[in-house]
Amino acid sequence: MSDVLRPNSLGPYIELLSFAMAKPDERGRLARRVDATGLGDFRAALRGRDAIWHGSGIGFMRCAATQNSMAQPFIDFFRTMEMAARSSGFAPLTAKQMVAALREMEDNIHRHSERVATGLVAYRCAPGALEFVASDRGIGALQSLRSNPEYAHVTDSGDALQLVISEGVSRLGAGNGFGFRDLFVGLANLNGNLRFRSGSSSLEIHGRNPSQQNATVSQRANTAGFTITVDCLN
């Protein structure tokens, strides 16, 4: 088929799959269009019932299975990710910071999405490279922020994305936030590509030492939930 979509990395695949799953009338057609190049085992496992799955340098965890962050399977998932990142050439501290960032993203799904059952976190490692993703089909960044009267004036999903990556901004009020500090600290001195996707917008940050100051917001097709993709090179 000429219109088959062939993402060759984790983030685009999960984003496309999330987009397809959010449209029940078109779900089958859209899902069939996604040919996840190089992700055969991951894709097969995702179609199964496993709550947590690991392949060679790759894995996922469904957020519905992680109500208790002290449970051993939860701890083991992130420990395996950390070891995979270190085996791919990342320094122990950097690997820990990236794991901490994904753990915070996973916690955000529980705290903000209102549809935890749709949540997924995943990682993929290769020599000198680490990619990880947190995705849900919940209420999205804009609706989440607007549930706090302080942000009721925000009407654009791009503006919402810019706010949620800022320190201390949250629908839960003062002292809370979406917790991306670990992410930006961990990416210091690395080449990083970050993509935040929610509603009708994406926010992307590229380059060495990525920071909020060089973010680019673009209009996209509207979709439910919130997907965050981080791709970094050692």
Side-chain angles (χ1 to χ4, degrees):
M1 293 175 60
S2 61
D3 64 345
V4 170
L5 305 171
R6 292 188 173 87
N8 58 10
S9 59
L10 211 52
Y13 171 59
I14 291 175
E15 189 174 317
L16 284 167
L17 190 62
S18 179
F19 185 80
M21 293 298 290
K23 296 181 175 294
D25 294 342
E26 301 181 73
R27 184 176 299 170
R29 181 183 66 82
L30 288 169
R32 284 191 296 271
R33 287 184 63 202
V34 180
D35 177 10
T37 305
L39 294 172
D41 291 345
F42 181 92
R43 185 178 186 179
L46 203 56
R47 287 173 169 171
R49 295 180 178 274
D50 288 346
I52 298 174
W53 174 84
H54 293 284
S56 179
I58 189 171
F60 69 74
M61 179 168 63
R62 303 183 201 271
C63 296
T66 60
Q67 299 293 339
N68 179 8
S69 63
M70 298 303 293
Q72 198 60 45
F74 180 92
I75 294 170
D76 289 345
F77 175 83
F78 286 107
R79 182 179 293 137
T80 302
M81 174 186 168
E82 181 182 340
M83 292 300 101
R86 291 175 64 170
S87 295
S88 296
F90 288 85
L93 178 59
T94 301
K96 285 182 180 295
Q97 288 170 325
M98 295 297 95
V99 166
L102 186 57
R103 288 187 69 153
E104 188 65 39
M105 293 178 192
E106 194 273 341
D107 184 60
N108 284 340
I109 292 173
H110 289 272
R111 300 177 74 193
H112 302 291
S113 75
E114 296 189 7
R115 288 196 67 195
V116 174
T118 68
L120 181 81
V121 294
Y123 71 90
R124 187 187 194 192
C125 296
L130 168 64
E131 181 184 17
F132 54 96
V133 183
S135 182
D136 66 73
R137 299 189 302 279
I139 62 174
L142 178 59
Q143 189 177 337
S144 176
L145 273 185
R146 283 176 55 83
S147 67
N148 181 339
E150 184 177 351
Y151 302 106
H153 65 283
V154 182
T155 59
D156 179 78
S157 57
D159 293 339
L161 287 174
Q162 289 180 302
L163 284 166
V164 300
I165 67 170
S166 302
E167 189 75 20
V169 173
S170 171
R171 72 172 183 160
L172 302 177
N176 294 282
F178 281 76
F180 296 120
R181 183 176 181 276
D182 282 329
L183 176 59
F184 288 110
V185 169
L187 288 171
N189 301 315
L190 296 176
N191 280 309
N193 297 302
L194 287 73
R195 179 176 167 89
F196 300 81
R197 178 75 167 87
S198 187
S200 59
S201 300
S202 68
L203 184 152
E204 299 185 50
I205 305 172
H206 304 288
R208 196 161 189 85
N209 299 312
S211 70
Q212 295 145 282
Q213 284 66 47
N214 55 12
T216 299
V217 176
S218 303
Q219 290 295 111
R220 304 294 181 192
N222 193 53
T223 188
F226 196 178
T227 298
I228 307 166
T229 301
V230 180
D231 190 349
C232 50
L233 299 175
N234 196 6

